[in-house]
Amino acid sequence: MDEQGQDNARRISPLGRATAILVMFFLLTGAAPFLFLTFGYPFLPSSQFYEACRPFGLISALAIGVLCFWGFFSGAIESHKAKGADKRFAGNFVLSSGASFLMMSVTHTAFIFLVPMIAAGVSGGPVTIRYLVKDADAHRVRGCPRPVQLEDMPWLLGSVCGVPDDLRHRLEAGMRVELIGWGSRYGLFYDRIRIATETER
């Protein structure tokens, strides 16, 4: 590392280091549900867990977003000042805002999914969890064919993927369905979906 690189490394503030660690942690944990879905192991938290944790997830996401904005913005300003280019306030603000919004999204996802996924891996077993259908004819999204959107579920990751067409045609908004798979009462890796019977409702 040259002398200028060593000076830049020494110049990194504790806030900058903390921001970098948080960014890496939440990027990895926030990406986990998407990776599991991509490789054929879709996971959903229970609607009860999601509703209970959603306020805390939003507060955490907002706090991380503010911290990341300050870390990105101040770091960019210092970097440009060191290079003699100190008139890029607007550009730095836009880039920092976009990066912070991304971090808020992945932080919220990580907060909602991390605990039930760990519970499923550590102490999980065969489980059945009930949900309400929000939209049985939801539009297909990348990586999620033939989706059925559920009530009280996170945006983007709140649909059951790969539902057979014959079952989708029988579903309506407000109907109760059951996901069957491996997990705990907080959430599960599902592999089947069925309509809840009248006696089970």
Side-chain angles (χ1 to χ4, degrees):
M1 183 183 293
D2 57 22
E3 184 175 344
Q4 182 178 1
Q6 293 176 351
D7 290 340
N8 289 337
R10 286 193 294 267
R11 198 180 297 128
I12 297 177
S13 66
L15 178 60
R17 295 180 188 276
T19 300
I21 293 172
L22 285 172
V23 166
M24 292 304 299
F25 174 78
F26 284 112
L27 280 177
L28 290 174
T29 54
F34 296 97
L35 293 176
F36 279 113
L37 177 62
T38 300
F39 289 103
Y41 298 97
F43 183 90
L44 280 178
S46 68
S47 55
Q48 292 83 0
F49 179 85
Y50 175 65
E51 282 297 302
C53 290
R54 182 165 57 176
F56 302 102
L58 292 174
I59 293 172
S60 300
L62 180 60
I64 294 299
V66 171
L67 178 61
C68 288
F69 174 82
W70 179 251
F72 294 146
F73 186 70
S74 60
I77 292 295
E78 289 298 323
S79 176
H80 287 309
K81 283 184 177 179
K83 297 176 182 177
D86 56 353
K87 296 182 179 180
R88 299 184 180 180
F89 179 88
N92 292 332
F93 183 85
V94 171
L95 290 175
S96 299
S97 298
S100 300
F101 181 79
L102 173 63
M103 284 306 304
M104 289 175 64
S105 299
V106 297
T107 299
H108 183 259
T109 301
F111 192 93
I112 296 299
F113 280 80
L114 186 59
V115 170
M117 289 178 77
I118 291 176
V122 173
S123 60
V127 66
T128 299
I129 300 180
R130 297 176 185 175
Y131 299 86
L132 288 177
V133 174
K134 182 177 182 180
D135 185 0
D137 193 28
H139 295 292
R140 174 175 178 168
V141 296
R142 185 182 180 90
C144 185
R146 304 186 306 277
V148 170
Q149 190 175 4
L150 303 177
E151 289 278 4
D152 300 323
M153 283 284 103
W155 183 62
L156 288 180
L157 289 168
S159 297
V160 183
C161 302
V163 180
D165 286 331
D166 60 340
L167 178 57
R168 291 182 73 199
H169 294 156
R170 293 157 52 198
L171 295 176
E172 298 177 356
M175 290 183 66
R176 192 178 299 276
V177 295
E178 295 178 333
L179 296 187
I180 305 166
W182 183 274
S184 69
R185 63 191 180 96
Y186 303 116
L188 79 167
F189 293 94
Y190 64 87
D191 54 22
R192 283 184 293 160
I193 178 175
R194 68 187 181 193
I195 299 175
T197 65
E198 292 294 336
T199 57
E200 291 171 331
R201 293 188 186 186

